Amino acid sequence: MTKSQTRRRVLELGGSVAALGLAGCLGSAASGSDDGATGSDGDVGGATTDAGTLGTPAPEAIVSIASIPSPSLEPGIVHVEVGGTVTWVGGGQRNAVASYHPETHGDHRRIPEDAEPWSSDLIRDGSRFSVTFETEGVYDYADTVVLCGTHESFGNVGRVVVGEPDLDGEPAIERGADELPGLAADTVAEYDARCREALDG
């Protein structure tokens, strides 16, 4: 093999490795693929949960959050009772969640007016972060990690529905999804439609 052929082969291999490395960031997020159901006593991220489907609040819910092969939240929407707890369980090296609120993430409030904003540190493989929700309403949040792009812009956003809220007047619904970046807007628009179908019916 000549020197130029060897160099070309090294460049080809380097490009392949780089493409594989970026695949975890550039893949589409799976955050909107579940309606909140894990089944009774379902197993999510190695933990047991009684999370119900959207429209049937449960005392607790577990969300599996991962960064590989692409940023994902499973399920994307959970529904808990007032006083219920949501726990995020890490399945990758770099994820973090924060409510949409000027004090924690973004310029706009997408949680109930009387609710406190929240944010996590890095959620790594096997680690957990929990929030107890005392105020009824709809809470939108984002995976705030930035690597080759923001996990948020890849659509890795989630929603917590607490209690049986009247969707009219909820900041997460009233603001619409257009202010969100990239695929986050499409994911939240899907959440809006699913919430209206389940809770306004």
Side-chain angles (χ1 to χ4, degrees):
M1 189 177 286
T2 68
K3 187 174 183 179
S4 64
Q5 288 173 320
T6 301
R7 184 171 183 270
R8 186 177 310 127
R9 183 68 180 141
V10 167
L11 289 173
E12 287 171 354
L13 289 173
S16 297
V17 169
L20 287 172
L22 289 175
C25 290
L26 300 177
S28 62
S31 59
S33 64
D34 195 311
D35 64 359
T38 57
S40 179
D41 296 324
D43 187 285
V44 178
T48 301
T49 179
D50 293 323
T53 59
L54 181 60
T56 307
E60 63 179 13
I62 294 179
V63 178
S64 177
I65 185 167
S67 51
I68 297 172
S70 61
S72 63
L73 292 162
E74 189 63 40
I77 301 177
V78 292
H79 195 170
V80 295
E81 301 166 354
V82 174
T85 298
V86 177
T87 299
W88 288 264
V89 179
Q93 289 303 308
R94 290 189 173 108
N95 294 96
V97 291
S99 58
Y100 279 107
H101 187 281
E103 292 178 22
T104 50
H105 183 70
D107 297 327
H108 307 288
R109 175 188 281 269
R110 299 184 67 89
I111 66 174
E113 293 295 332
D114 297 332
E116 290 293 319
W118 45 269
S119 63
S120 73
D121 292 328
L122 279 181
I123 303 172
R124 298 183 182 277
D125 192 19
S127 66
R128 294 168 173 258
F129 172 73
S130 296
V131 175
T132 298
F133 293 86
E134 301 291 354
T135 302
E136 186 170 67
V138 178
Y139 297 72
D140 283 349
Y141 66 91
D143 181 346
T144 59
V145 166
V146 179
L147 291 174
C148 51
T150 66
H151 284 187
E152 176 188 22
S153 68
F154 297 141
N156 210 31
V157 293
R159 175 168 288 176
V160 178
V161 178
V162 179
E164 302 284 350
D166 178 355
L167 297 182
D168 293 331
E170 284 293 323
I173 305 291
E174 293 290 309
R175 295 203 69 88
D178 294 341
E179 68 189 19
L180 301 176
L183 295 176
D186 295 336
T187 303
V188 168
E190 177 192 335
Y191 292 165
D192 287 351
R194 289 164 55 195
C195 282
R196 290 209 178 274
E197 181 179 356
L199 303 175
D200 275 351

